[in-house]
């Protein structure tokens, strides 16, 4: 590429036609001096390494403050302005989180105590590392479902009985011993590690691996992975996962003792097993579930309807849990009717233990979608609330934060966490100002862990299932938004439906993969068959717009203007060519073939009959005018060209030049211009035929045609 880039607008002064329009005939060349070329990759890497390895006190301080954001905002904490809102939101979210933590533990295939552990550690760790002031990090239903499916698979693979009744008594004893005896030898641990012990090992190991992935994504700054998870894709995935969650909890509503189905088609398999065992329904659990639905759903609706008037939502879940626990204990529902209950929940904390390194090969692949979804949801919620309240968050730091929220708690018998929309909305609406509210929520859960947890022994599992299902209302209500979504974007709606259906009917992991692949295919299809409208001139301006979209546009005689609204690359090069032929109505290959055919016919007629009249008619057929002499391609929407795109442009220009039609390019961005120069698109001395605007290209074409006409008339 030359040191000076030269672009034309019209015709040169020396070539200005006599008596022609001076305004249109003036040739204005713009000289643009390109920036210096970037240094080679090696030099850039050396510079980056030097910058990264340099160590000054100021840089160390900045690194520490950016890695631990709490050191920036906590010393500046305004007690007068923030404390009341943080206390109120922290307590309210904590009250709501206690029953949800217990309920979602069942979804993850774990005992209730582990859900409380997870919620406790997540709030404190995110407060230290996170940059969002409002999001609530804790248990998220879709991730719990994915964890639970892997846990059930590994438990079955390890040879443990999936029927919970067979091991319930031994489980209670083992949990009690594990909570009271810290120093035990290796043999004792093996004896005490029953199904529930192994289940949390699987969950904690997968949580550790997911956290490592998230921290690695932050370290290598590959947060761009989340851009492939669009809003419609995530919404469809969560809704599809909600059907699977609802299905997995249905057995608790009916009091059925059946194993959770895993793998492809688990939703259908689960319903088949439910109907096969429907005769074993526990009517005590059914009545309890019905009464809980009768209380929870109307109260939740009232909370939403009057949320602008209520200072805090009614903690109906906690009320239901307390009332149901008392009713189950006083009525002896387990002993009398065989209801399934939460069982013994120990106080305090179990001794920390590392993940089971032998399980890593089994769960490493399963942890990838969990890591990506957890990060994507956390970052999207962080950015959404930051924009709403006028501050900024750092995506890479959010990756570190959510990664450490998984790595550190995995040593304390916890499972995967991420931001949760419902609790974040409650946190914001109740006056949250900083993450101090998260610390207060964790303190409230700590009180439950130290004092109150054993009191939930008699809590029926069907009550926990009802709480889980009622919290799915938001995701299931997305069906009401489908008409509006269809009106806004049919492609996004189809992505939502495909992801939702595949996540529900096949499996959550495969459904997510199908959704990502399908959304990427939609992007490819959009660029494969883009719009290519003809443009018309807006009177008294230099603007050209689509003739199919606007009225009262003018066309210049002999000039066809076309806009290609996509990158030009190997996928859509044939589409570009066919759109150009269709819009201009001229296929150069057919025109040349017709001319050759007419010339041959003329020659035959001349040989057969020397009549001059026949010869003149044949000559007219050969030189039949096309109706235009120039095609201007508006490249403003062409982001890039590849080698196939450059070759296609070369072929198009060559084909049209052979039938006396010139092709001009306008509004090419620097990347496209650079590709054209490197691809030797222009012959020597023709690089001035690259225009900054469509108007300049059209004026150049008209001026050149007028000049040719005058020269022809002189001759």
């Amino acid at each position: 590429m030359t040191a000076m880039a030269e672009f034309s607008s019209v015709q040169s002064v020396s070539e200005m036609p006599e008596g022609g329009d001076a305004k249109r005939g003036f040739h204005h060349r713009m000289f643009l001096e390109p920036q210096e070329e970037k240094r080679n990759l090696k030099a850039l890497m050396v510079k980056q390494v030097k910058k990264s390895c340099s160590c000054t006190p100021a840089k160390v301080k900045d690194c520490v403050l950016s890695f631990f954001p709490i050191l920036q905002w906590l010393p500046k904490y305004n007690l007068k302005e923030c404390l009341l809102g943080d206390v109120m939101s922290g307590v309210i979210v904590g009250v709501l989180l206690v029953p949800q933590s217990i309920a979602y533990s069942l979804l993850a295939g774990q005992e209730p105590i582990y859900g409380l552990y997870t919620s406790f550690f997540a709030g404190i760790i995110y407060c230290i590392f996170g940059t969002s002031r409002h999001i609530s990090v804790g248990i998220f239903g879709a991730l719990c479902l994915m964890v639970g499916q892997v846990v059930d698979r590994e438990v079955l693979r390890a040879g443990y009985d999936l029927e919970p009744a067979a091991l319930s008594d031994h489980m209670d004893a083992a949990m009690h011993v594990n909570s009271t005896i810290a120093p035990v030898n290796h043999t004792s641990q093996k004896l005490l590690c029953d199904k529930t012990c192994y289940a949390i090992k699987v969950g904690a190991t997968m949580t550790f691996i997911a956290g490592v992935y998230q921290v690695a994504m932050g370290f290598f700054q590959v947060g761009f992975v989340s851009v492939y998870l669009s809003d419609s894709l995530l919404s469809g995935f969560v809704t599809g996962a909600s059907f699977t969650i609802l299905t997995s909890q249905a057995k608790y509503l009916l009091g059925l003792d059946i194993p959770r189905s895993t793998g492809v088609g688990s939703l259908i398999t689960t319903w088949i097993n439910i109907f096969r065992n429907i005769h074993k329904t526990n009517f005590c659990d059914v009545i309890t579930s019905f009464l809980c639905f009768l209380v929870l759903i109307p109260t939740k609706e009232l909370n939403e309807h009057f949320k602008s008037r209520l200072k805090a939502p009614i903690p109906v879940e906690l009320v239901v849990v307390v009332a149901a626990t008392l009713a189950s204990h006083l009525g002896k529902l387990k002993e009398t009717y065989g209801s399934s209950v939460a069982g013994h929940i120990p106080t305090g904390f179990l001794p920390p233990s590392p993940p089971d390194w032998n399980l890593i090969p089994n769960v490493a692949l399963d942890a990838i979608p969990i890591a990506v979804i957890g990060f994507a949801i956390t970052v999207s919620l962080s950015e959404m609330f930051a924009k709403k309240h006028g501050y900024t968050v750092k995506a890479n730091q959010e990756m570190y934060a959510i990664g450490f929220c998984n790595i550190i708690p995995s040593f304390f018998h916890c499972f995967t966490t991420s931001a949760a929309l419902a609790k974040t909305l409650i946190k914001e609406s109740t006056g949250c100002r900083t993450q101090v509210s998260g610390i207060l929520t964790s303190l409230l859960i700590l009180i439950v862990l130290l004092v109150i947890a054993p009191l939930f022994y008699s809590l029926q599992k069907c009550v926990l299932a009802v709480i889980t299902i009622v919290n799915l209302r938001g995701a299931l209500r997305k069906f009401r938004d489908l008409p509006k979504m269809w009106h806004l974007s049919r492609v996004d709606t189809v992505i939502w439906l495909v992801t939702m259906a595949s996540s529900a009917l096949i499996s959550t992991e495969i459904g997510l993969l199908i959704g990502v692949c399908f959304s990427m295919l939609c992007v490819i299809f959009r660029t494969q068959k883009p719009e290519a409208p003809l443009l018309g001139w807006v009177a008294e301006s230099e603007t050209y717009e689509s003739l199919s979209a606007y009225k009262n546009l003018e066309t210049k005689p002999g000039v066809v203007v076309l806009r290609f609204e996509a990158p030009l690359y190997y996928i859509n090069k044939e589409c570009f060519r066919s759109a150009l032929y269709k819009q201009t109505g001229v296929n150069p290959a057919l025109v040349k073939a017709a001319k050759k055919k007419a010339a041959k016919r003329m020659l035959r007629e001349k040989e057969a009959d020397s009549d001059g009249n026949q010869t003149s008619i044949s000559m007219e057929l050969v030189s039949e005018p096309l109706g235009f002499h120039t095609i201007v391609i508006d490249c403003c929407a062409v982001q890039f060209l590849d080698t196939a795109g450059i070759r296609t442009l070369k072929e198009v220009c060559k084909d049209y030049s052979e039938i006396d039609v010139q092709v001009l390019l306008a509004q090419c961005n620097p990347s496209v211009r650079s590709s054209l120069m490197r691809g030797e698109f222009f012959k020597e001395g023709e690089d001035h035929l690259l225009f900054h605007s469509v108007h300049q290209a059209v004026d150049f074409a008209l001026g050149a045609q007028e000049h040719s006409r005058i020269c022809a008339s002189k001759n």
Side-chain angles (χ1 to χ4, degrees):
M1 195 170 178
T2 58
M4 303 288 286
E6 184 178 307
F7 303 96
S8 277
S9 61
V10 219
Q11 187 181 357
S12 66
V13 177
S14 60
E15 297 173 344
M16 187 174 66
E18 296 179 7
D21 187 350
K23 182 178 179 181
R24 194 176 66 194
F26 178 72
H27 179 66
H28 173 66
R29 290 190 177 185
M30 288 187 287
F31 294 91
L32 297 179
E33 185 175 359
Q35 295 282 357
E36 293 182 7
E37 291 187 6
K38 294 181 179 179
R39 287 174 289 180
N40 58 39
L41 182 61
K42 182 179 178 181
L44 289 174
M45 289 181 65
V46 169
K47 181 181 177 182
Q48 188 65 30
V49 169
K50 287 182 178 179
K51 183 179 178 182
S52 301
C53 293
S54 63
C55 184
T56 62
K59 188 171 182 180
V60 171
K61 180 182 177 182
D62 290 341
C63 288
V64 172
L65 291 178
S66 63
F67 195 71
F68 299 100
I70 190 173
L71 300 178
Q72 295 183 26
W73 59 264
L74 191 59
K76 303 174 185 177
Y77 188 78
N78 191 321
L79 289 172
K80 186 176 180 181
E81 292 183 5
C82 303
L83 186 61
L84 181 61
D86 285 341
V87 170
M88 191 172 180
S89 64
V91 172
I92 291 169
V93 172
V95 168
L96 297 175
L97 194 56
V98 169
Q100 288 185 18
S101 299
I102 297 173
Y104 281 10
S105 298
L106 295 180
L107 191 59
Q110 309 296 339
E111 289 302 301
I113 188 66
Y114 301 128
L116 294 172
Y117 288 164
T118 302
S119 297
F120 169 75
F121 284 106
I124 293 178
I125 295 170
Y126 184 82
C127 178
I128 297 171
F129 294 99
T131 57
S132 173
R133 303 173 191 171
H134 293 89
I135 67 168
S136 175
V137 175
I139 296 176
F140 180 58
L143 295 185
C144 288
L145 173 68
M146 297 172 75
V147 170
Q149 290 174 338
V150 178
V151 166
D152 285 347
R153 185 194 71 203
E154 292 303 315
V155 165
L156 180 62
R157 183 181 293 176
Y160 287 96
D161 183 10
L162 281 177
E163 296 293 336
L167 291 169
S168 59
D169 295 335
H170 178 63
M171 172 199 70
D172 292 345
M175 288 293 297
H176 178 71
V177 173
N178 282 342
S179 63
T180 54
I181 301 176
V184 291
N185 59 36
H186 185 69
T187 306
S188 300
Q189 285 183 350
K190 272 193 169 182
L191 292 173
L192 294 174
C193 191
D194 61 349
K195 174 192 167 186
T196 58
C197 172
Y198 190 75
I200 191 57
K201 278 190 175 183
V202 175
T205 302
M206 187 162 56
T207 299
F208 174 80
I209 295 299
V212 169
Y213 289 155
Q214 289 164 337
V215 170
M217 285 163 54
F219 181 78
F220 292 107
Q221 299 185 356
V222 291
F224 66 87
V225 172
S226 66
V227 304
Y228 295 104
L229 304 179
S230 64
D231 291 341
S232 57
L233 187 148
L234 281 175
S235 176
F237 169 76
V238 171
T239 304
S242 298
F243 281 106
T244 308
I245 293 171
L246 189 152
T247 300
S248 69
Q249 300 300 295
K251 66 178 183 179
Y252 297 113
L253 302 181
L254 301 174
L256 298 177
D257 193 7
I258 57 176
R260 180 192 290 184
S261 299
T262 58
V264 176
S266 59
L267 182 139
I268 297 172
T269 306
T270 300
W271 282 111
I272 291 174
N273 289 336
I274 288 174
F275 284 110
R276 282 178 177 172
N277 293 273
I278 198 73
H279 60 281
K280 299 178 183 178
T281 298
N282 187 311
F283 288 99
C284 177
D285 286 343
V286 172
I287 294 171
T288 304
S289 301
F290 176 75
L291 293 176
C292 290
F293 276 123
L294 210 59
V295 174
L296 281 171
I297 293 177
T299 312
K300 287 271 190 179
E301 292 296 328
L302 289 174
N303 275 340
E304 290 187 11
H305 188 72
F306 296 104
K307 63 182 178 181
S308 58
R309 300 182 186 179
L310 293 172
K311 292 184 178 180
I314 302 170
V316 63
E317 292 169 330
L318 187 64
V319 173
V320 166
V321 165
V322 172
T325 303
L326 288 173
S328 176
H329 177 71
L330 297 175
K332 300 184 183 300
L333 299 184
K334 179 183 178 182
E335 293 80 3
T336 307
Y337 302 103
S339 291
S340 179
V341 297
H344 176 69
I345 304 177
T347 56
F349 292 91
L350 296 176
S353 63
D356 190 338
W357 310 116
N358 295 324
L359 283 172
I360 290 179
N362 296 349
V363 301
L365 194 61
D366 299 292
I368 294 175
I370 291 176
V372 174
I373 292 170
F375 157 69
I377 292 173
T378 301
V379 171
S380 60
L381 287 180
S382 299
E383 291 178 344
M384 180 175 73
F385 284 93
K387 184 178 180 181
K388 182 177 180 180
H389 292 275
Y391 62 93
T392 58
V393 293
K394 298 177 181 177
N396 274 338
Q397 184 60 30
E398 288 297 297
M399 277 193 280
Y400 286 131
I402 198 64
F404 287 123
C405 282
N406 287 320
I407 291 176
I408 298 173
S410 68
F411 289 85
F412 295 90
H413 314 282
C414 301
F415 49 90
T416 314
T417 58
S418 75
L421 177 60
K423 291 185 280 291
T424 300
L425 288 171
I426 293 172
K427 194 173 179 179
E428 181 212 22
S429 64
T430 51
C432 171
R433 303 296 292 273
T434 68
Q435 283 297 333
V436 167
S437 63
I439 295 177
L440 295 173
T441 299
S442 295
L443 290 177
L444 188 62
I445 295 173
L446 179 63
I447 294 173
V448 174
L449 281 168
L450 296 178
V451 180
I452 305 174
L455 300 179
F456 294 115
Y457 176 90
S458 299
L459 177 61
Q460 291 170 271
K461 288 185 177 180
C462 63
V463 177
L464 301 176
V466 170
I467 292 173
T468 300
I469 292 172
V470 169
N471 282 306
L472 300 176
R473 291 174 309 124
L476 297 176
R477 279 177 177 169
K478 293 293 182 181
F479 284 98
R480 298 194 308 190
D481 299 334
L482 282 182
K484 183 179 179 181
M485 190 188 301
W486 181 263
H487 179 71
L488 291 174
S489 173
R490 294 184 178 183
V491 174
D492 283 347
T493 308
V494 174
I495 291 173
W496 188 93
L497 289 170
V498 169
T499 308
M500 182 275 299
S502 55
S503 298
L505 298 176
I506 303 175
S507 72
T508 49
E509 296 86 353
I510 296 176
L512 179 65
L513 181 61
I514 290 173
V516 171
C517 294
F518 184 77
S519 62
M520 294 177 71
L521 285 175
C522 287
V523 173
I524 293 172
F525 289 151
R526 284 179 175 180
T527 60
Q528 185 177 359
K529 292 188 177 181
E531 295 291 329
L534 292 175
L535 306 184
W537 177 55
V538 180
E540 300 181 359
S541 74
E542 296 185 357
T543 303
Y544 282 75
E545 283 297 343
S546 172
L547 289 169
S548 60
Y550 300 100
K551 299 179 180 179
N552 304 321
L553 299 179
E554 301 178 13
T555 56
K556 298 290 185 178
V559 180
V560 175
V561 184
L562 177 136
R563 177 189 296 147
F564 190 67
E565 299 180 345
L568 182 54
Y569 63 124
Y570 71 98
I571 287 180
N572 62 12
K573 59 185 179 68
E574 292 303 324
C575 178
F576 167 76
R577 199 192 302 266
S578 60
L580 185 60
Y581 295 163
K582 180 181 178 181
Q583 294 289 40
T584 60
V586 174
N587 185 332
L590 296 179
V591 172
K592 287 187 289 184
K595 284 188 176 183
K596 287 181 180 179
K597 186 177 180 181
K600 288 181 180 179
R601 186 171 60 184
M602 180 191 69
L603 185 60
R604 286 196 303 268
E605 290 173 354
K606 187 176 181 180
E607 292 175 352
D609 188 357
S610 58
D611 186 3
N613 187 33
Q614 291 289 336
T615 303
S616 63
I617 292 174
S618 299
M619 289 299 293
E620 287 176 5
L621 286 171
V622 175
S623 59
E624 183 180 353
L626 298 174
F628 61 92
H629 53 77
T630 303
I631 298 173
V632 177
I633 301 176
D634 182 3
C635 301
C636 65
V638 179
Q639 294 98 334
F640 64 87
L641 297 171
D642 68 353
T643 54
I646 296 172
R647 185 168 58 251
T648 302
L649 281 176
K650 284 182 177 181
E651 292 171 356
V652 164
C653 291
K654 179 177 178 294
D655 291 343
Y656 275 105
S657 66
E658 291 176 353
I659 59 172
D660 300 323
V661 175
Q662 66 174 342
V663 177
L664 304 177
L665 305 181
Q667 300 198 99
C668 298
N669 63 43
S671 172
V672 171
R673 289 198 292 267
S674 177
S675 297
L676 292 172
M677 295 298 181
R678 290 195 306 268
E680 299 179 353
F681 176 77
F682 299 105
K683 295 178 182 178
E684 188 173 351
E686 285 188 355
D687 57 344
H688 64 284
L689 299 178
L690 199 58
F691 300 88
H692 275 288
S693 71
V694 173
H695 187 74
Q696 290 176 346
V698 172
D699 275 2
F700 175 84
L702 294 175
Q705 182 65 17
E706 186 176 353
H707 178 66
S708 299
R709 181 180 57 79
I710 293 173
C711 291
S713 63
K714 284 182 179 181
N715 295 333

